[in-house]
Amino acid sequence: MTQTLLHPRLLLTLGGLLALLLLLAGCATLNREECLRGDWYQIGVNDGQKGHQLARLDSHRNACRDTPAIIDEGAYQAGRDIGLVSYCTPVSGYRVAAGGDRYGDVCPINSATQFLQGYVLGEQVYRAEQDIADAERRVRSLETRLQENREEIEEARASVEAADNHRAIRRAEQMLWILRNGADDLRRDLRDAEDEVDQARDRFLDVQERTSFQLQLLMSG
């Protein structure tokens, strides 16, 4: 029996194509069953509730291109308009911005103002949360540098002990002195960074409380 072996480069190419196909399949906005069911009104409602732009329909059309599904654009747009009613609210704007998502300019003029009022409040929450993340990253970075500094100090100590002449000992001791001073600076910076994390968390709680109150005022008004 003759066995056919594929060239490694061809295998890599085929593997890449397969991965691409799987990726495209995973990115499809609708599956085959949803396409064939054809409930375009409900699909539109769902998209409107999520704040998708009208161009989302083109993605659905692409997802259903290999099926006999007939896309009802009128039903889709009617459903999307209904979905946007629940999306274009101050609460939704607050939630979208606080989650770090962008506004796709989908709300009608009469409801866009309310959405954006909530969005502005949510942005404050998002920025305050990012301040915490930035401060925590600085702490982790300083902890890493401090650990590296400890290892360098141990190496410098070993160099002092291994030095076999006065000049080498003096040079190793100078390096050890520099590293120890650097460690003091890093520990001081780390304490400051840890304080900044605590302060950022306090600011986040303040912002969250204040914006939640302002959101309630928007809703009641």
Side-chain angles (χ1 to χ4, degrees), residues 48-139:
Q49 290 174 339
K50 296 175 182 176
H52 287 305
Q53 296 177 323
L54 190 57
R56 179 78 168 180
L57 184 57
D58 293 331
S59 299
H60 293 330
R61 186 178 288 108
N62 185 58
C64 298
R65 69 183 183 279
D66 294 329
T67 73
I70 298 176
I71 298 177
D72 189 337
E73 295 187 16
Y76 175 84
Q77 292 187 27
R80 179 175 172 273
D81 289 342
I82 294 299
L84 285 174
V85 173
S86 62
Y87 177 80
C88 298
T89 64
V91 173
S92 180
Y94 184 93
R95 183 180 65 250
V96 169
D101 295 324
R102 292 188 176 185
Y103 170 50
D105 195 21
V106 296
C107 295
I109 295 176
N110 60 342
S111 58
T113 299
Q114 293 182 349
F115 178 92
L116 290 172
Q117 286 175 332
Y119 191 89
V120 169
L121 296 176
E123 279 186 319
Q124 297 176 36
V125 175
Y126 178 74
R127 287 197 296 269
E129 194 169 24
Q130 290 302 111
D131 288 343
I132 295 176
D134 291 342
E136 289 176 339
R137 278 193 292 270
R138 176 166 169 74
V139 167

Side-chain angles (χ1 to χ4, degrees), residues 8 30 156:
L30 298 173

Side-chain angles (χ1 to χ4, degrees), residues 188-205:
R188 183 170 54 252
D189 291 343
L190 180 57
R191 286 193 297 270
D192 291 342
E194 289 171 339
D195 289 342
E196 178 56 32
V197 170
D198 293 336
Q199 294 168 12
R201 288 174 177 166
D202 289 340
R203 288 195 299 270
F204 172 78
L205 293 176

Side-chain angles (χ1 to χ4, degrees), residues 6-65:
L6 294 177
H7 192 280
R9 191 171 294 177
L10 179 57
L11 285 173
L12 289 174
T13 302
L14 292 174
L17 289 174
L18 179 59
L20 178 60
L21 290 173
L22 291 174
L23 177 62
L24 292 175
C27 294
T29 57
L30 298 173
N31 58 41
R32 181 178 178 84
E33 181 181 347
E34 290 170 325
C35 291
L36 295 177
R37 188 183 305 126
D39 191 353
W40 291 102
Y41 178 84
Q42 188 57 49
I43 292 172
V45 170
N46 294 340
D47 285 352
Q49 290 174 339
K50 296 175 182 176
H52 287 305
Q53 296 177 323
L54 190 57
R56 179 78 168 180
L57 184 57
D58 293 331
S59 299
H60 293 330
R61 186 178 288 108
N62 185 58
C64 298
R65 69 183 183 279

